[in-house]
Amino acid sequence: MGLFSRPTVPSPSGGHSFVDVIQNEGNNTGRGLIAWRHPSSDFNTHSKILVRKGEEAIFENGASEWAVFPSGTECELKTQNIAVIRSFREALSGGKSYFPCRVYFVSVEEFEIPWGTIDPIGYTCPLLGAGAQLRGGGIYVIRVIDTETFVKKVLRDNNSYTIDHLKEKLFERVYQEIADIISSVLEKNGINSMECSKKKKEIAQLSLPDIQKLLEAYGIMLVDFTVSLELDEEQRQMYEQAVRLQRMSAQGEAQARIIGAHSKVEELHTMGNAYATIKGMDMLQTIAENPGAGGIASAGAGLGMGMAAGGTFANITQSVFPGNQVQQPTQAPVQPDPMESLQKMKQMLDAGLIPQAAYDQKVAEILSRL
């Protein structure tokens, strides 16, 4: 019995007993009670109804007649000021002072309900592709805003309803729909599985409106919603292994590019030497065909395209005219041929061995010596 309850008294008509004070006595059953149905079904028009703050009372006659008494109501049931009671009495008891009906008390306060993934939440991850699976949980903060709908669709024939009942019966029933909402949010916003932890507030805010719409059908408002998701452990290990292999592959490719660059430099160096030799051979051929052109020494002094006039020319003439010692005039060291230098720099630029800025700087330096 509650604090304000009094024993039932017999009805003057005989055969019936009615409750003198109608109030929520379910609070004595423990914490977390959301809804409670009064065990009696016979009430008198002079009974007193007491609705505490934070709850509402719902009267129903088992058919289409419903009446909701708001939080804080405390009054005597009189037919002259409560029309729905008069309707109940006339419809169900032939105008007698007592009437049968069911009375429910439903809390309209906020409740926190923890949740966790029953099955993994699957979605198409930008990193892993289709089949990524997430596990985790969070908290629903809910409040009943339509007590009549809640009684019809949630409480139904139960005598009481607690947070545990709501978690086990309702939220497990709609879990897959909530999982689909979260999955859709992740896919639409391109959130990969490794970002879920740091973006949990964003995921919760984006998911809340659709989950709220889902719960409204049961007379429930979703006041707040939190979520924390992580990649399934087995998939996380597979992903980390793939990342390690990718890094190793990238390091191998970088090393291969460095080796290729060294090879290209050696190739260009060889090409430069070959070019100088060929040009020298062409010049010696010209001297041989034109004896009056000034001789080998003057040709050596005049060489400027592709080689130094001293040692390189002597090596060429030595190979072409064995035993013929060429007397080289003593002269100051000759600067590298600008045309040859420009050609080499252009080849290195085209091969990707030097950046554009280095190429431009070197060209300006060569041209400044002309």
Side-chain angles (χ1 to χ4, degrees):
M1 281 295 196
L3 180 63
F4 295 96
S5 298
R6 295 200 299 270
T8 58
V9 298
S11 168
S13 59
H16 288 276
S17 63
F18 60 87
V19 176
D20 200 17
V21 177
I22 307 169
Q23 66 172 346
N24 183 359
E25 300 173 18
N27 287 329
N28 296 327
T29 63
R31 300 181 61 185
L33 185 69
I34 299 177
W36 178 78
R37 185 176 70 185
H38 201 289
S40 179
S41 59
D42 287 330
F43 300 96
N44 187 275
T45 53
H46 293 287
S47 295
K48 182 178 180 181
I49 182 169
L50 176 63
V51 185
R52 298 184 181 93
K53 291 183 178 180
E55 67 181 14
E56 291 183 354
I58 302 95
F59 283 62
E60 64 99 3
N61 66 5
S64 59
E65 296 287 346
W66 290 81
V68 177
F69 291 84
S71 174
T73 298
E74 183 176 356
C75 65
E76 183 177 333
L77 300 181
K78 295 181 179 179
T79 57
Q80 60 264 34
N81 57 17
I82 303 177
V84 70
I85 299 301
R86 182 171 62 252
S87 174
F88 283 178
R89 184 175 64 103
E90 293 174 352
L92 302 175
S93 59
K96 297 177 182 178
S97 62
Y98 64 90
F99 57 93
C101 72
R102 288 183 174 183
V103 179
Y104 308 90
F105 290 89
V106 179
S107 174
V108 291
E109 295 182 342
E110 293 183 1
F111 290 92
E112 290 188 0
I113 302 177
W115 69 275
T117 49
I118 301 172
D119 298 311
I121 297 176
Y123 83 113
T124 301
C125 171
L127 288 179
L128 305 179
Q133 295 186 332
L134 302 172
R135 290 188 178 275
I139 293 176
Y140 303 108
V141 181
I142 63 101
R143 181 165 63 87
V144 177
I145 57 172
D146 185 342
T147 52
E148 181 180 332
T149 298
F150 184 84
V151 169
K152 290 178 179 178
K153 294 189 174 182
V154 181
L155 181 61
R156 295 187 290 188
D157 293 328
N158 294 286
N159 292 326
S160 63
Y161 217 84
T162 65
I163 291 177
D164 290 338
H165 292 137
L166 195 65
K167 179 182 176 182
E168 295 169 3
K169 296 181 180 180
L170 175 60
F171 282 99
E172 287 188 9
R173 188 161 73 239
V174 299
Y175 169 77
Q176 190 55 55
E177 294 176 79
I178 294 175
D180 291 342
I181 290 171
I182 296 174
S183 174
S184 178
V185 165
L186 295 174
E187 292 181 358
K188 287 180 180 178
N189 293 275
I191 300 175
N192 69 59
S193 53
M194 306 307 291
E195 297 176 317
C196 289
S197 180
K198 66 180 180 180
K199 291 189 174 182
K200 56 186 178 182
K201 289 185 178 180
E202 178 183 349
I203 296 170
Q205 291 173 354
L206 293 171
S207 303
L208 192 147
D210 287 336
I211 299 177
Q212 167 64 57
K213 187 176 180 180
L214 174 66
L215 296 180
E216 280 179 355
Y218 299 93
I220 298 172
M221 169 185 282
L222 184 62
V223 180
D224 196 11
F225 174 67
T226 64
V227 58
S228 180
L229 298 171
E230 293 182 351
L231 191 63
D232 182 77
E233 180 63 21
E234 182 178 351
Q235 287 193 336
R236 184 184 64 79
Q237 292 178 0
M238 293 173 59
Y239 171 76
E240 290 176 352
Q241 177 66 15
V243 169
R244 285 194 292 269
L245 293 175
Q246 188 178 19
R247 288 175 180 171
M248 292 173 60
S249 176
Q251 291 172 353
E253 290 177 1
Q255 187 174 6
R257 286 196 295 269
I258 292 173
I259 295 173
H262 285 309
S263 300
K264 193 67 175 178
V265 170
E266 293 177 0
E267 179 184 349
L268 291 173
H269 181 70
T270 303
M271 289 172 58
N273 290 339
Y275 175 78
T277 301
I278 292 171
K279 293 298 289 184
M281 293 289 291
D282 290 344
M283 202 165 274
L284 290 174
Q285 180 67 29
T286 301
I287 293 171
E289 294 175 354
N290 299 280
I296 293 176
S298 62
L303 270 176
M305 300 296 290
M307 61 182 176
T312 305
F313 186 76
N315 291 337
I316 296 172
T317 56
Q318 195 73 7
S319 63
V320 177
F321 303 104
N324 185 13
Q325 298 296 325
V326 179
Q327 299 296 323
Q328 298 296 334
T330 302
Q331 61 183 28
V334 179
Q335 295 292 332
D337 179 56
M339 291 298 294
E340 179 183 355
S341 297
L342 290 172
Q343 288 174 346
K344 286 184 178 181
M345 292 300 296
K346 186 64 169 66
Q347 289 174 335
M348 293 178 71
L349 176 65
D350 293 341
L353 299 177
I354 60 173
Q356 183 67 43
Y359 172 77
D360 294 340
Q361 181 182 356
K362 193 66 178 176
V363 170
E365 180 183 328
I366 295 170
L367 294 177
S368 67
R369 296 199 298 266
L370 297 180

